[in-house]
């Protein structure tokens, strides 16, 4: 683990070539540990992302009594306790930088007779938790949050909890998943109504573990009904490569002339893969090879060849399917011909950092022309000319891994390189990002 800050200058690079594979999907990794811990018996996981965020979830499941063991690289074994079997942890649950650990674990604990505090780093302690406190309180859990509904907070679970029918006020898979996980140990049917679809890994995996879960389309919304307190069956899970991590390489290979890079085994779940469509609409050359299904999730190899990009107006309705990819899309837009307009991205202001403000400042520092609006950025691209910032500009990442990696990509297509103030947050989601980037640009 990288506890210290580490600045780094990402230099202009030659073409990205050959084949690579990114680590396992972060969302699926969290969920496999959590559901494994709720099943009776042994779940095996291959390709687990061993980033700090997922390790925080693993530590929390251990602290609540599950037997979670690392067998080898990405190979893990979870011996579950069964629904309702979680135990009182002895210390606070430390979620580090991870919003997913925070929201999902709060949901899980909310329907157990457990009282515990939740803590996180400076970034997580600024993020809104009211969005999960509200539905979980309706289910009977009690919360003592810090001012503004934030971490650190104390949670007293409800046992038994009360099933609710909850319409999501924000398009958030974390909120949806928190309510569904609370529903696992709640008698009766817990219902989540999703007016705007978000990533559906929880639903897919709950089904895979044998949960009684139904999804219907009603009045234009997705309605998810989960019957609580039925046993989960342990599974063998193969985690696909994370499309959000692959996106950095998709954009880098698209931007750097002469690139021809294959990224193997990328998760292509339609609720996640929006960035591929948007990049293609801008002119990117991304070919899907050997599209297949692995463990209930669509997967493909992606061959990405350099192509000039043209700015577009990004349809706001695609936002949930690429919510974590906007920082790197902004870098693509900064090198495109013409103007890219993004809207409907208020959620980016409450991620690991305020990603609209952070990316606007970072791109400006490296010479891009950016206008920041309340709900999006408008970016006037260079038409492929390298970014030319002041030579000693240093980009601020604000404890946000995706800002660090996006600006690393900007460095590859800059005249003088891009200095990132702190690369240590990269370890939360993509610990081997820098060696992989080195490997494919060598
Ligand atoms: C995640 C959902 C997204 C995403 C996060 C992971 C998940 O957050 O930004 O990185 O695993 O459910 P929201 O659902 O809050 O948008």
């Amino acid at each position: 683990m990288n506890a210290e800050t580490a600045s780094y200058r990402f230099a202009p690079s030659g073409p990205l070539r050959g084949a690579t594979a990114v680590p396992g999907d972060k969302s699926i990794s969290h969920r496999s540990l959590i559901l494994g811990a709720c099943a009776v018996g042994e779940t095996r996981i291959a390709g687990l992302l061993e980033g700090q965020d997922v390790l925080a979830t693993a530590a929390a499941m251990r602290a609540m009594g599950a037997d979670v063991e690392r067998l080898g690289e990405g190979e893990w074994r979870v011996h579950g306790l069964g629904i309702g079997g979680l135990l009182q942890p002895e210390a606070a649950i430390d979620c580090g930088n991870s919003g997913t650990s925070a929201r999902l674990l709060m949901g899980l604990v909310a329907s157990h007779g457990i009282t515990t505090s939740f803590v996180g780093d400076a970034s997580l302690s600024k993020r809104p938790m009211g969005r999960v406190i509200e539905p979980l309180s309706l289910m009977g859990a009690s919360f003592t949050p810090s001012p503004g509904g934030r971490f650190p907070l104390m949670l007293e679970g409800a046992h038994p909890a009360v099933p609710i029918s909850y319409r999501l006020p924000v398009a958030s898979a974390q909120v949806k998943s928190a309510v569904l996980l609370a529903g696992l140990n709640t008698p009766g049917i817990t219902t989540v109504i999703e007016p705007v679809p978000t990533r559906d890994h929880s639903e897919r995996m709950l089904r895979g573990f044998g949960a009684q879960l139904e999804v219907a389309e009603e009045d234009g919304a997705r309605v998810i009904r989960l019957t609580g307190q039925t046993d989960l069956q342990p599974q063998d899970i193969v985690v696909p490569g994370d499309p959000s991590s692959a996106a950095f390489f998709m954009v880098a290979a698209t931007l750097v002339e002469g690139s021809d890079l294959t990224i193997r085994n990328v998760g292509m779940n339609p609720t996640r893969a929006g960035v591929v469509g948007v990049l293609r609409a801008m002119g990117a050359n991304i070919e899907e090879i050997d599209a297949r299904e692995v463990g209930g999730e669509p997967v493909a190899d992606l061959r990405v060849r350099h192509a000039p990009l043209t700015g577009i107006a990004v349809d706001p309705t695609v936002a949930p399917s690429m919510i974590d990819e906007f920082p790197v899309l902004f870098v693509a837009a900064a090198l495109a011909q013409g103007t890219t307009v993004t809207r409907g991205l208020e959620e980016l202001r409450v991620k690991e950092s305020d990603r609209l403000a952070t990316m606007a400042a970072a791109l400006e520092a490296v010479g891009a022309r950016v206008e920041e609006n309340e709900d999006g950025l408008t970016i006037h691209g260079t038409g492929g000319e390298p970014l030319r910032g002041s030579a000693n500009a240093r980009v601020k990442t604000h404890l946000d891994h995706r800002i660090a990696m996006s600006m690393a990509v900007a460095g590859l297509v800059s005249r003088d390189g891009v200095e990132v103030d702190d690369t240590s947050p990269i370890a939360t989601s993509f610990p081997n990002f820098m060696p992989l980037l080195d490997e494919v640009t060598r």
Side-chain angles (χ1 to χ4, degrees):
M1 295 222 182
N2 215 339
E4 288 164 19
T5 62
S7 69
Y8 189 82
R9 175 169 286 275
F10 291 92
S13 91
L16 288 81
R17 293 197 153 269
T20 190
V22 297
D25 188 277
K26 180 159 74 73
S27 295
I28 296 174
S29 295
H30 284 290
R31 286 157 173 82
S32 30
L33 292 168
I34 293 173
L35 294 189
C38 294
V40 185
E42 187 174 302
T43 286
R44 292 268 181 152
I45 311 166
L48 188 90
L49 167 65
E50 294 175 344
Q52 289 168 357
D53 281 13
V54 174
L55 297 180
T57 291
M61 299 323 300
R62 270 194 203 110
M64 291 190 282
D67 181 7
V68 181
E69 193 189 349
R70 181 179 193 266
L71 304 175
E73 202 187 322
E75 302 281 331
W76 289 63
R77 189 185 72 91
V78 181
H79 205 92
L81 301 161
I83 295 292
L86 295 185
L87 305 173
Q88 173 75 38
E90 281 175 10
I93 294 181
D94 187 350
C95 300
N97 187 256
S98 173
T100 310
S101 307
R103 273 76 174 244
L104 269 54
L105 293 173
M106 285 163 73
L108 189 67
V109 170
S111 58
H112 285 77
I114 288 178
T115 299
T116 185
S117 52
F118 280 81
V119 300
D121 74 0
S123 153
L124 189 57
S125 304
K126 286 188 204 147
R127 299 180 66 185
M129 295 300 155
R131 54 181 60 197
V132 286
I133 292 175
E134 185 193 288
L136 298 176
S137 300
L138 294 172
M139 296 179 83
S142 319
F143 294 84
T144 317
S146 296
R150 300 191 203 282
F151 269 22
L153 61 73
M154 188 67 119
L155 192 178
E156 189 182 340
H159 194 56
V162 186
I164 58 168
S165 175
Y166 190 69
R167 191 178 174 89
L168 292 180
V170 276
S172 167
Q174 293 180 348
V175 178
K176 167 174 68 178
S177 303
V179 175
L180 292 175
L181 289 171
L184 278 177
N185 193 35
T186 299
I189 298 177
T190 294
T191 306
V192 179
I193 303 161
E194 226 187 10
V196 179
T198 64
R199 64 188 69 192
D200 63 356
H201 305 300
S202 294
E203 296 93 303
R204 286 175 189 252
M205 199 179 286
L206 279 163
R207 276 226 189 84
F209 272 81
Q212 281 187 37
L213 179 129
E214 278 161 29
V215 181
E217 196 65 41
E218 290 171 21
D219 302 324
R222 277 182 90 234
V223 181
I224 305 148
R225 295 187 177 87
L226 174 77
T227 304
Q229 297 187 325
T230 59
D231 282 346
L232 300 185
Q233 310 306 321
Q235 298 298 303
D236 279 346
I237 298 170
V238 180
V239 182
D242 195 323
S244 300
S245 298
F248 300 108
F249 287 88
M250 289 180 217
V251 171
T254 297
L255 294 180
V256 179
E257 262 178 53
S259 295
D260 183 351
L261 181 72
T262 299
I263 316 166
R264 293 211 185 94
N265 191 35
V266 182
M268 292 296 287
N269 180 318
T271 63
R272 290 291 299 286
V275 70
V276 174
V278 169
L279 286 172
R280 280 184 183 144
M282 295 173 78
N285 181 345
I286 304 174
E287 193 185 336
E288 270 167 65
I289 300 167
D290 190 15
R292 53 206 187 265
E293 191 157 303
V294 177
E297 290 277 348
V299 165
D301 300 334
L302 300 181
R303 182 173 179 192
V304 188
R305 277 168 277 191
H306 164 69
L309 298 181
T310 307
I312 60 168
V314 178
D315 177 358
T317 63
V318 305
S321 69
M322 56 172 291
I323 196 68
D324 293 333
E325 285 65 79
F326 280 97
V328 77
L329 181 79
F330 296 148
V331 174
L335 273 292
Q337 177 76 51
T339 300
T340 297
V341 180
T342 59
R343 295 222 156 275
L345 304 180
E346 308 69 1
E347 272 297 299
L348 293 195
R349 296 208 180 269
V350 291
K351 293 296 180 187
E352 286 81 331
S353 69
D354 173 343
R355 288 182 173 162
L356 295 179
T358 311
M359 280 306 294
L363 284 172
E364 266 164 16
V366 300
R369 286 203 297 139
V370 184
E371 290 152 33
E372 180 184 343
N373 303 306
E374 217 24 68
D375 66 341
L377 299 185
T378 296
I379 299 177
H380 308 283
T382 63
E385 287 302 307
L387 293 166
R388 294 157 170 255
S390 93
N392 49 14
R394 197 182 221 214
V395 163
K396 287 207 176 88
T397 50
H398 297 282
L399 289 178
D400 189 333
H401 54 133
R402 300 208 193 278
I403 304 301
M405 291 184 276
S406 299
M407 294 313 292
V409 173
L412 306 182
V413 286
S414 64
R415 187 188 58 179
D416 303 314
V418 167
E419 170 133 359
V420 168
D421 69 342
D422 186 8
T423 55
S424 62
I426 292 174
T428 60
S429 70
F430 197 163
N432 60 339
F433 171 75
M434 289 171 57
L436 277 193
L437 191 59
D438 248 18
E439 221 171 87
V440 297
T441 50
R442 204 174 284 149

